[in-house]
Amino acid sequence: SPPQDNDPEPGRVRVAIRVRPRNAEELSDADYADCVEVQPELKKLKLRKNNWNSEFYKFDEIFAESASQKRIYETVAKPVVESVLNGYNGTVMAYGQTGTGKTYTLGKMGKDDVSERGIMVRALEDIIVNTNSTSDSVEMSFLQLYMESIQDLLAPEKINIPIVEDARTGEVSVPGATVVKIEDLDHFLQLLHIGESNRLAANTKLNTESSRSHAILMVNIRKSVKSDEEPGSSFQEKDRKTDRHGNQIPIVRKSKLLIVDLAGSERIDKSGSEGRLLEEAKFINLSLTSLGKCINALAENSPHIPTRDSKLTRLLRDSFGGCLRVSVLLCRELSPLCDCLEAMKIVNTVKLR
Ligand code: ADP
Ligand code: MG
């Protein structure tokens, strides 16, 4: 039987906008003007093009500056985590310019204040609570994708790790990367901390900013379920097994959650840049453009999702397939210089009259 979910539109990409609070510098700048205005109740965003012209865009969710980390998690990521626990693959991504709050939203560890914990920590908390520590397993890899090379953030000496696609199942994996079985939330926090330190060190060595690479947390879940339970993406009829008394033997259901902190979407001035900066910009442009194409193809229900163009979309391929939930979180800077229109295009928004 085909996978079922409570979601009436299981394959649809959801887009939420979160506007971060102004920082001290922006608050003290008398000339600072917001180019966007959020209308959370209407789920609309007003984009001021100039003094006379505004455009409205509609999204699945709009969060004002006051929105808490908890609320963001519950609205944007929790439905994805729940379907992953039901056997589907799912992805949560943050897209936006550097400084818009992507890492805060996804990766904040909340060491001093647990209310500040971001999506990664809250997702793992939910996954750990909802899996059985003896019969199920939760494993993670933590990767960085920089200039089309995958680096292991848990073992940074491993670079250029290949992506492997199973020809039969279509499953995408990165078997060369470190896989760690997560024992509990403290263990996960330690791994996240190690990964972040390695990311910082690796990028210092490369003389680049972490905003120039994508960070990818990959969580693989194996859940032991009775075969008559609601089937998930990895369930197949041939997996149904019974013992000699005719009782159903539990089957193992596999699913995967990807949480992706994308490289900054700001456009680097090509004329003014050279060397590595220009090379970085080309690779970021390649992956964000191909991501945009895939998201638009998904939004149009196209039978062909063009995932071959970049490593980012190849990695996401089996999280784009039949049974998926993708939420894109787009963080917007309240800067008059922001190029909102560009960002709007990638997420195939509905322009209102
Ligand atoms: P990005 O990863 O998109 O470059 P960051 O997550 O590093 O951006 O955020 C930039 C700065 O803004 C950081 O100092 C971060 O702590 C702060 N910040 C971002 N979002 C929020 C928020 N919702 N509330 C408070 N501070 C935030
Ligand atoms: Mg960041």
Side-chain angles (χ1 to χ4, degrees), residues 101-225:
K102 297 182 297 298
T103 305
Y104 180 91
T105 300
L106 297 182
K108 184 87 178 168
M109 290 177 63
K111 282 176 190 142
D112 307 319
D113 179 357
V114 294
S115 74
E116 283 209 298
R117 282 178 171 171
I119 285 176
M120 288 180 180
V121 181
R122 289 172 197 270
L124 264 295
E125 203 171 13
D126 265 353
I127 289 170
I128 290 164
V129 167
N130 289 290
T131 45
N132 183 312
S133 59
T134 48
S135 58
D136 303 339
S137 86
V138 181
E139 294 177 340
M140 70 172 262
S141 298
F142 199 16
L143 312 169
Q144 163 167 279
L145 178 54
Y146 176 69
M147 295 191 30
E148 292 299 272
S149 165
I150 296 178
Q151 180 174 19
D152 188 344
L153 288 178
L154 297 178
E157 67 283 2
K158 293 190 195 168
I159 54 168
N160 277 317
I161 309 174
I163 299 172
V164 174
E165 290 169 57
D166 186 310
R168 192 179 58 87
T169 61
E171 202 175 300
V172 179
S173 61
V174 190
T178 306
V179 176
V180 183
K181 186 172 191 292
I182 301 171
E183 306 297 341
D184 53 31
L185 195 66
D186 273 343
H187 185 211
F188 173 69
L189 288 168
Q190 280 169 29
L191 293 165
L192 199 57
H193 178 77
I194 292 169
E196 280 177 4
S197 317
N198 285 338
R199 191 172 188 218
L200 207 66
N203 293 325
T204 306
K205 208 168 136 193
L206 290 166
N207 192 21
T208 188
E209 302 282 330
S210 57
S211 64
R212 314 307 295 153
S213 63
H214 312 292
I216 301 151
L217 174 69
M218 190 184 277
V219 183
N220 281 290
I221 303 177
R222 281 193 191 79
K223 220 167 183 296
S224 177
V225 291

Side-chain angles (χ1 to χ4, degrees), residues 264-308:
S265 62
E266 59 274 11
R267 281 184 301 183
I268 303 290
D269 178 9
K270 293 212 173 85
S271 56
S273 326
E274 50 189 23
R276 184 177 281 273
L277 197 61
L278 184 59
E279 284 301 299
E280 285 178 346
K282 282 186 195 157
F283 282 115
I284 294 170
N285 191 37
L286 169 75
S287 50
L288 294 182
T289 303
S290 67
L291 176 64
K293 284 183 190 158
C294 290
I295 289 176
N296 283 324
L298 285 166
E300 286 160 11
N301 272 322
S302 162
H304 176 65
I305 312 297
T307 55
R308 297 283 161 204

